[in-house]
Amino acid sequence: MARHELDPAHRERTLRHLAEREYDVIVIGGGVTGAGAALDAVSRGLSVALVEAADLANGTSSRSGKLFHGGLRYLKQLNFSLVREALKERDLMVGSLCPHLVSPERFTFPFRHWWERVYIGLGVLLYDLLRLTVTRTVKGHRHLSRKTVRRELPALGPGVRGGVSFYDVRVDDARHTMMLARTAAGLGADVATRTEVTGFLRDGERLTGVVARDAESGADVPIRGRAVVNATGVWAERVQELAGVASLSVTAAKGIHLVVPADRIDLRTGLIAQTSDSIFLIRRWFGHWLMGTTDTKWDHTRDDPAPTGSDVDYLLAQANRWLEKPLTREDVVGVYAGLRPLVSGKGATAALSRDHTVAEGPAGVFTVVGGKYTTYRIMARDAVDAAARHLGGDVPASVTERIPVIGAEGLAAVAAQRALLAERHGLTPQWIGHLLDRYGALALDLLDLIAERPELAGPIDGAPGYLAVEAVYAATAEGAVHLDDVLVRRTRIFMETADHGLTAAVHVAALIAPALGWDDERREWEIERYGAEMAADLAAVAALTDDEAMAARAAVRPAPWTVRPR
């Protein structure tokens, strides 16, 4: 197997390495910033360990708005530097870094008053002008007449006078984060999931590493390192406290999104509209529409943000301001909640800065927080820059602007063979396209698995949008350790199926059990655990407030899942 494949044996080897080596940089956190920092550091020639308490992209990085975007609304805050930086990164993702994981998507900003054409048009024009020094791989904006808007957005109600269209970029955030981590592993980084940092190693007053607990075995693993990057997002304060310094205050802002089947809304483009304090979007999401978001302060455990019925009703109300045929809760097939890690300040969370900061404290520990998904590479670069200054010596500058994510290299050549590959493996060209959009050139790895095991060419029971081979590949190459890793993050089954993946769970568990060494008892435990988590989420959505949602979720969940069959 290639080194970038995160198979079960890789995890065991990595855990041994963690206890045996001294690293230049230990990265804590397997979200997009942590994975980006690991890639940045290892590509500069530094030895790197990446440890994640749960699964890759388990937190915010699998629960974002799933867009690489410039942040049109930040123009209202006059944050031109952030918008320009984000636009550059967005275009870079499409042009070279991960074209297999992104798709430029057109949005329409409709308006009902003549003066909005001037106000909104100037904003979108500025959005494009900020890209003057950027290589443009995404199309610019154009003004639309009333007739054109009606043609592009048939679902809209009366009163629309025109609109402006522009492009941003869709991304499957969880897959992108996971493949960043695999790219880092391919260059030599040691990547360990389900490995939670519980303390720091010290030599007198000097920090010399961390102590991590393997959640699968319960064993403590000492990891020695010369510098530590704390990229844990909303948990950054917790890690700082373990190190003995809490120099940053992080506000957690909850954002939820709804998933609606494609046939419920008749739109040719995405829709963007202003709210009282932010923006509301309906965007394409493969065979569905994704809509969001909310922006409210979250004061409960940061491990488990819960959407509420009030959140759902708010987003439906925003959609129904524009749609002629109103949506109801019955139209919603999926809901998810994430937390934005914002550097604390006064006022509503929607008004807090999306800029990032890197703070040192104690010596050798560098905490990066704030920012937005689109600018993860800049955040990672700045954190590693700070660590490199601490390490001293001749550490090269960041080169991640020129390092494609695995699956990008060779993509054009494999895509040109789509018809041939379909015929050779007994799949339709549409299925080959599906694999290319999720794996890039690595689609050949999955086709090799199908050649060895033809039964894997069929769809997953209860999730006809995915092939059985994808579940097996998730367990053998993408670092999946539990059933929910596959259903929630390696695929999007949990939010794209009416039963939230409960039918698919049985088939997927059977597919991945041999690769992960599960017996029948462990397989049934994983299915039961997944079902309980989905039931807890449904109970939370039935509540109206955050307090009620957390109580409802706790009431449905059984005893802690830390004890399980081996």
Side-chain angles (χ1 to χ4, degrees):
M1 281 191 173
R3 289 179 64 197
H4 63 243
E5 293 191 333
L6 302 180
D7 60 305
H10 176 277
R11 186 175 187 279
E12 295 304 315
R13 290 193 303 270
T14 296
L15 289 172
R16 290 197 301 271
H17 292 166
L18 293 178
E20 297 168 355
R21 299 177 175 176
E22 180 181 35
Y23 295 91
D24 293 320
V25 179
I26 299 169
V27 179
I28 308 173
V32 69
T33 307
L39 176 58
D40 190 288
V42 75
S43 63
R44 300 191 198 201
L46 301 173
S47 57
V48 179
L50 169 64
V51 290
E52 159 58 40
D55 184 29
L56 295 169
N58 188 73
T60 304
S61 294
S62 62
R63 308 177 194 187
S64 75
K66 305 185 188 301
L67 284 173
F68 279 124
H69 67 102
L72 187 60
R73 71 188 179 99
Y74 306 137
L75 292 177
K76 191 174 182 180
Q77 301 173 0
L78 305 182
N79 196 340
F80 302 124
S81 61
L82 174 62
V83 174
R84 184 186 178 281
E85 183 177 72
L87 287 169
K88 176 183 177 182
E89 292 301 304
R90 182 199 70 175
D91 285 27
L92 192 61
M93 300 302 157
V94 176
S96 60
L97 295 190
C98 55
H100 54 310
L101 299 175
V102 299
S103 174
E105 297 290 342
R106 189 155 61 96
F107 289 84
T108 298
F109 210 137
F111 48 79
R112 292 180 170 134
H113 307 283
W114 67 266
W115 50 264
E116 289 179 294
R117 183 180 292 279
V118 177
Y119 175 70
I120 295 169
L122 285 174
V124 177
L125 174 62
L126 181 57
Y127 199 59
D128 278 351
L129 289 176
L130 287 169
R131 295 195 298 153
L132 283 177
T133 59
V134 176
T135 301
R136 296 190 178 195
T137 56
V138 178
K139 294 179 181 178
H141 77 285
R142 69 187 182 97
H143 283 262
L144 307 177
S145 67
R146 180 194 315 212
K147 181 178 179 181
T148 302
V149 171
R150 298 299 308 177
R151 184 176 68 244
E152 296 292 301
L153 307 176
L156 295 193
V160 173
R161 292 177 175 268
V164 179
S165 72
F166 70 98
Y167 283 79
D168 267 326
V169 174
R170 181 186 67 195
V171 62
D172 185 334
D173 50 4
R175 288 203 61 76
H176 172 258
T177 296
M178 178 273 297
M179 294 184 85
L180 269 181
R182 288 185 63 189
T183 307
L187 292 177
D190 283 334
V191 178
T193 60
R194 309 288 172 182
T195 309
E196 180 179 6
V197 169
T198 57
F200 280 74
L201 298 174
R202 286 178 169 80
D203 182 1
E205 295 299 313
R206 184 170 65 93
L207 293 183
T208 59
V210 303
V211 178
R213 179 162 297 150
D214 174 14
E216 300 304 298
S217 68
D220 286 334
V221 183
I223 310 170
R224 294 177 297 125
R226 299 168 57 209
V228 175
V229 172
N230 172 13
T232 53
V234 293
W235 297 276
E237 288 175 272
R238 182 188 302 177
V239 173
Q240 280 199 321
E241 289 168 359
L242 290 175
V245 174
S247 61
L248 288 174
S249 178
V250 180
T251 293
K254 185 181 73 168
I256 80 151
H257 289 81
L258 309 182
V259 183
V260 174
D263 63 1
R264 299 299 193 275
I265 310 174
D266 187 7
L267 300 175
R268 307 288 180 267
T269 77
L271 180 145
I272 179 171
Q274 287 186 301
T275 67
S276 59
D277 62 353
S278 186
I279 58 172
F280 170 76
L281 294 101
I282 301 176
R283 74 216 68 160
R284 296 181 185 276
W285 185 251
F286 304 94
H288 297 78
W289 292 103
L290 185 66
M291 62 178 65
T293 180
T294 61
D295 199 330
T296 56
K297 189 175 181 181
W298 178 255
D299 292 320
H300 297 271
T301 172
R302 298 185 177 187
D303 297 336
D304 209 13
T308 67
S310 296
D311 294 326
V312 173
D313 291 341
Y314 167 81
L315 290 180
L316 291 175
Q318 292 299 324
N320 292 338
R321 287 176 53 221
W322 292 95
L323 301 178
E324 188 168 29
K325 181 181 178 182
L327 296 173
T328 69
R329 287 198 187 190
E330 285 67 39
D331 294 309
V332 177
V333 297
V335 183
Y336 66 88
L339 298 178
R340 304 176 187 89
L342 307 179
V343 180
S344 295
K346 295 181 179 179
T349 56
L352 293 182
S353 173
R354 267 51 174 179
D355 289 313
H356 67 275
T357 188
V358 179
E360 183 177 10
V365 178
F366 302 91
T367 298
V368 55
V369 72
K372 53 204 291 288
Y373 196 102
T374 305
T375 57
Y376 81 87
R377 196 186 64 82
I378 306 300
M379 296 171 64
R381 180 200 67 193
D382 291 352
V384 177
D385 279 347
R389 288 191 290 271
H390 170 80
L391 293 173
D394 188 19
V395 179
S398 175
V399 294
T400 53
E401 187 172 345
R402 302 188 300 276
I403 298 179
V405 175
I406 56 167
E409 291 186 354
L411 174 61
V414 177
Q417 302 175 50
R418 179 181 304 202
L420 177 64
L421 292 171
E423 181 180 359
R424 180 181 299 164
H425 294 280
L427 296 171
T428 65
Q430 289 73 26
W431 273 121
I432 299 297
H434 165 84
L435 295 177
L436 289 171
D437 288 344
R438 287 173 51 74
Y439 305 91
L442 296 182
L444 296 177
D445 292 351
L446 286 87
L447 295 175
D448 287 344
L449 275 174
I450 289 174
E452 296 171 8
R453 299 174 57 187
E455 72 275 12
L456 297 181
I460 292 173
D461 294 345
Y466 297 89
L467 296 176
V469 69
E470 298 183 73
V472 174
Y473 190 73
T476 57
E478 295 183 337
V481 175
H482 290 287
L483 180 59
D484 64 302
D485 296 346
V486 180
L487 295 171
V488 177
R489 288 170 290 279
R490 303 307 182 275
T491 69
R492 307 172 297 267
I493 291 172
F494 89 105
M495 72 181 205
E496 295 178 345
T497 54
D499 70 348
H500 308 290
L502 295 179
T503 300
V506 177
H507 189 195
V508 170
L511 287 167
I512 66 178
L516 297 176
W518 295 349
D519 59 16
D520 289 346
E521 183 182 7
R522 173 61 183 271
R523 178 168 52 83
E524 290 301 319
W525 179 87
E526 290 278 348
I527 295 170
E528 180 186 354
R529 174 180 177 267
Y530 179 78
E533 289 297 321
M534 293 301 104
D537 283 347
L538 289 174
V541 171
L544 291 180
T545 68
D546 289 344
D547 289 344
E548 292 171 356
M550 293 302 290
R553 181 182 265 173
V556 170
R557 276 193 177 127
W561 292 107
T562 52
V563 179
R564 61 175 175 271
R566 295 294 180 190

